[in-house]
Amino acid sequence: MKLIRQITDLNKAISSQRELGFVPTMGSLHKGHASLINSSKQKCKKTLVSIFVNPTQFNDNNDFKTYPRNLNKDIKLLKSLKVDFLYVPTVSQIYNNKKHKITRLNKSEKILCAKFRKGHFEGVLNVMGRFTDIIKPKNIFMGEKDYQQFFLARNFIERKYKTKVIACKTVRDVNKVALSSRNSLLDLESFKKAGKISLELIKLKNLIKKNIKDKKLIKKIKDDLIKKFKIKIEYLECRNTIDLKTNLKNKPFKIFVAYYLKNVRLIDNF
Ligand code: AMP
């Protein structure tokens, strides 16, 4: 694996690569990231992983500061997965180019996380555009775990570039908690709660499948979860996966949730 820190070295290393798979990450890697990498290795000739904790997508500076960082451990994992290139840029390398304008979300896109994390997706799309310009990958691999992020990034990237954005299934722990770098911030009690909440949400999805017209169900379960687990739920919503609208008729759908366990914010979808 070639570890690259400078943009000039990156250009040299990948200039002749026509079929690059790109897996953008913020590091603190786990089996969810590994599954994206394995998909890329299957579909593309070479795989490039980036580790970059992108400051512009954090709406809370404390969250940015405390975001888990583990570069040495990450490098070991990436070597064992036989990744071809690892790119670890500095903030100034990525943001020096003034050409990139900020893409604002339109009103209908300001739902779910976009409603609660002001400027978050603008930061995500901005950094995705910058990486795509530099790397020019054939494919970008993203996790369904962050479905809204995948949805917005796919629309944005495929409109502007030839690159295709591919969704990969969410990897879960045995207790059904979606793997996430932020899980390392949870204490044992919170982690167990997260498992129970996942099970409740899987049950809810099955109930909704059977009673698609019951609009009160989701509100009832939301209230029950708040009471039972003493948690703050930012949102719990059911939306179709085609356009993320609330119309479910004849469309595949997911339950989207964002909630806090103590001060750790988790998101998931089922
Ligand atoms: P992050 O490092 O959290 O920014 O995530 C980098 C990529 O990994 C994103 O496309 C995420 O959606 C994806 N990802 C994170 N957790 C999982 C998971 N449990 N299963 C599948 N993909 C994931």
Side-chain angles (χ1 to χ4, degrees):
M1 183 180 78
K2 201 171 169 66
L3 168 60
I4 301 167
R5 290 182 181 272
Q6 297 299 328
I7 211 161
T8 44
D9 294 335
L10 178 76
N11 289 335
K12 266 188 225 150
I14 63 172
S15 61
S16 60
Q17 303 296 334
R18 293 285 163 271
E19 297 205 12
L20 257 186
F22 173 40
V23 181
T25 83
M26 299 209 296
S28 263
L29 303 176
H30 49 68
K31 286 181 181 154
H33 298 110
S35 86
L36 269 52
I37 291 166
N38 287 331
S39 298
S40 170
K41 285 178 68 81
Q42 273 176 20
K43 236 180 132 31
C44 299
K45 285 200 180 133
K46 300 269 173 168
T47 292
L48 185 150
V49 175
S50 67
I51 295 183
F52 182 63
V53 184
N54 173 33
T56 66
Q57 71 186 69
F58 285 82
N59 51 322
D60 170 353
N61 196 35
N62 194 43
D63 188 24
F64 173 66
K65 278 196 199 142
T66 56
Y67 193 84
R69 290 159 168 92
N70 269 307
L71 187 59
N72 290 337
K73 201 167 153 233
D74 290 347
I75 291 175
K76 273 192 199 134
L77 176 73
L78 294 172
K79 279 186 179 163
S80 76
L81 291 170
K82 301 202 172 11
V83 163
D84 301 286
F85 307 103
L86 166 61
Y87 181 37
V88 189
T90 56
V91 173
S92 63
Q93 271 179 53
I94 297 299
Y95 283 99
N96 263 353
N97 185 342
K98 300 274 177 278
K99 189 180 95 192
H100 283 262
K101 282 196 240 102
I102 289 176
T103 302
R104 301 269 166 222
L105 301 193
N106 62 40
K107 204 171 161 222
S108 69
E109 290 170 326
K110 289 188 179 163
I111 54 170
L112 306 171
C113 283
K115 190 167 148 188
F116 292 93
R117 295 187 74 188
K118 297 267 181 295
H120 166 65
F121 287 121
E122 281 85 351
V124 170
L125 297 184
N126 194 280
V127 80
M128 291 288 295
R130 287 167 184 270
F131 271 118
T132 307
D133 256 354
I134 299 170
I135 296 164
K136 300 181 180 60
K138 176 172 174 255
N139 294 129
I140 299 177
F141 295 83
M142 300 187 77
E144 281 193 6
K145 149 87 171 48
D146 304 281
Y147 192 86
Q148 187 181 15
Q149 170 175 272
F150 154 72
F151 178 86
L152 291 169
R154 182 194 54 194
N155 293 350
F156 173 71
I157 295 291
E158 293 189 357
R159 214 171 38 226
K160 271 184 85 174
Y161 304 92
K162 285 190 188 135
T163 304
K164 291 267 166 269
V165 181
I166 296 175
C168 304
K169 292 261 166 275
T170 302
V171 178
R172 295 180 180 281
D173 214 301
V174 277
N175 60 359
K176 301 290 181 205
V177 178
L179 299 188
S180 163
S181 307
R182 289 179 197 276
N183 290 357
S184 64
L185 303 172
L186 296 174
D187 58 23
L188 187 62
E189 183 200 9
S190 296
F191 190 70
K192 283 185 182 160
K193 255 191 202 180
K196 290 181 186 157
I197 292 165
S198 292
L199 291 179
E200 299 278 350
L201 294 176
I202 292 166
K203 260 197 253 164
L204 172 62
K205 176 143 193 200
N206 290 326
L207 277 178
I208 295 178
K209 274 186 195 159
K210 285 185 206 142
N211 305 287
I212 199 103
K213 289 199 178 125
D214 186 351
K215 299 284 175 216
K216 287 188 190 138
L217 194 56
I218 199 139
K219 166 93 176 67
K220 182 187 169 307
I221 300 291
K222 185 177 172 188
D223 292 343
D224 288 353
L225 289 174
I226 292 170
K227 251 192 230 150
K228 188 167 168 189
F229 296 106
K230 299 189 175 51
I231 49 170
K232 178 179 151 197
I233 297 184
E234 214 165 59
Y235 61 78
L236 178 68
E237 292 185 35
C238 200
R239 290 179 176 266
N240 80 59
T241 51
I242 310 294
D243 57 13
L244 287 186
K245 296 208 163 41
T246 50
N247 162 23
L248 306 184
K249 203 174 164 201
N250 300 328
K251 293 196 169 100
F253 67 88
K254 281 178 175 286
I255 293 169
F256 294 88
V257 69
Y259 65 99
Y260 283 87
L261 288 172
K262 299 197 174 141
N263 57 350
V264 183
R265 181 178 183 274
L266 296 181
I267 62 168
D268 203 346
N269 60 78
F270 296 88

